[in-house]
Amino acid sequence: MAKRVAPEINAGSMADIAFLLLIFFLVTTTMDVNVGIERRLPQKQPPNMPPPPKIKKKNLFIVDINAKDEMLVRDKEMKIGDLKAAAERFIDNNGSGQCTYCHGLSDPESSDKPEKAVIAIKTNRGTSYKFYLAVQNELGGAYKELRDTYAASTYGKRYDNLSSEKKKKVREAYPMIISEAKPIENK
C-alpha cells in the first residue's frame, strides 16, 4: 500500500509578508502628540536673594479661573474669546506716557508700559487642562500680536522673520511676564 503524503503549505514567503505588513503599519500609524506649553522655568534663586519688588495693582492683570472653567479678569467676568484683546490693551496701555512705541489708550488705571505689565494666572485644582491651555494660548497670542506689530513698524518684517538680535530687541520691548500662582483648593 502506498503511503499518502500530507499536503504542505509553502511558508517561504510568510516572513516577507509579515515584514511588509509591519512596515505598512509603522508607516501608516499616527502617534499621539503631547499637548503642552513651551515655557522656560525660572532658575532656582539663592537663599540670600532679596524679595521681588512690589507690583502696583494697576500693572497686574489677574486671570482667575475656577473649577467650572469660568474666568474673572481683573475681577470682571470674561469669555475666553475676549481675553486676547483685553490682554493686548492692558500690555500696550502706556498709562505712564513714557512708552514711545505703545499704541494703547493711556488709561491711568491700567499698566504703565509693557515692561511693567504682569499677567498673573490663578487656577483652581478643578480647572480643566484644556481650558488652562486655551487661556495660555490666548495670552501667548496677545504677546505674539504685539511683537509682530512692533517688528513690522520697526523693522518692516514679522517677528518670526527677524534675526536673533532683532528678536531680542522686540522681546525687550514686549517682555512676556506671566506669573503662575499656586492652584487653590476646591471648596
Side-chain angles (χ1 to χ4, degrees), residues 125-179:
R125 293 208 185 276
T127 302
S128 73
Y129 190 63
K130 183 178 180 180
F131 192 78
Y132 173 76
L133 283 179
V135 168
Q136 285 282 355
N137 189 45
E138 292 298 311
L139 296 173
Y143 278 104
K144 182 177 180 354
E145 188 74 30
L146 290 168
R147 287 175 176 177
D148 277 344
T149 302
Y150 179 77
S153 67
T154 306
Y155 302 111
K157 295 180 183 178
R158 293 187 60 172
Y159 175 76
D160 293 335
N161 299 330
L162 296 175
S163 67
S164 59
E165 62 188 49
K166 288 180 181 176
K167 281 183 179 181
K168 183 180 177 188
K169 289 183 181 185
V170 173
R171 283 193 308 270
E172 287 171 359
Y174 288 99
M176 186 181 292
I177 306 172
I178 298 177
S179 169

Side-chain angles (χ1 to χ4, degrees), residues 33-169:
V33 177
N34 290 336
V35 177
I37 304 168
E38 187 177 320
R39 294 277 190 264
R40 186 174 300 152
L41 296 175
Q43 298 294 321
K44 184 175 179 179
Q45 300 297 318
N48 59 353
M49 185 80 172
K54 298 283 184 196
I55 301 170
K56 293 180 187 176
K57 186 177 180 181
K58 72 179 202 167
N59 288 326
L60 265 175
F61 188 81
I62 300 173
V63 180
D64 194 357
I65 309 167
N66 69 13
K68 297 177 184 175
D69 291 343
E70 297 167 333
M71 186 171 53
L72 288 178
V73 177
R74 301 189 95 190
D75 297 325
K76 294 179 183 154
E77 194 172 335
M78 185 177 288
K79 300 291 182 198
I80 190 76
D82 301 327
L83 182 61
K84 180 180 168 187
E88 284 180 32
R89 282 191 306 274
F90 172 77
I91 297 163
D92 204 33
N93 180 55
N94 195 20
S96 66
Q98 298 173 344
C99 182
T100 58
Y101 54 85
C102 294
H103 304 289
L105 301 173
S106 297
D107 179 4
E109 299 298 315
S110 195
S111 73
D112 287 332
K113 54 185 177 177
E115 298 91 357
K116 300 268 185 183
V118 176
I119 297 176
I121 302 172
K122 284 178 56 180
T123 59
N124 185 289
R125 293 208 185 276
T127 302
S128 73
Y129 190 63
K130 183 178 180 180
F131 192 78
Y132 173 76
L133 283 179
V135 168
Q136 285 282 355
N137 189 45
E138 292 298 311
L139 296 173
Y143 278 104
K144 182 177 180 354
E145 188 74 30
L146 290 168
R147 287 175 176 177
D148 277 344
T149 302
Y150 179 77
S153 67
T154 306
Y155 302 111
K157 295 180 183 178
R158 293 187 60 172
Y159 175 76
D160 293 335
N161 299 330
L162 296 175
S163 67
S164 59
E165 62 188 49
K166 288 180 181 176
K167 281 183 179 181
K168 183 180 177 188
K169 289 183 181 185

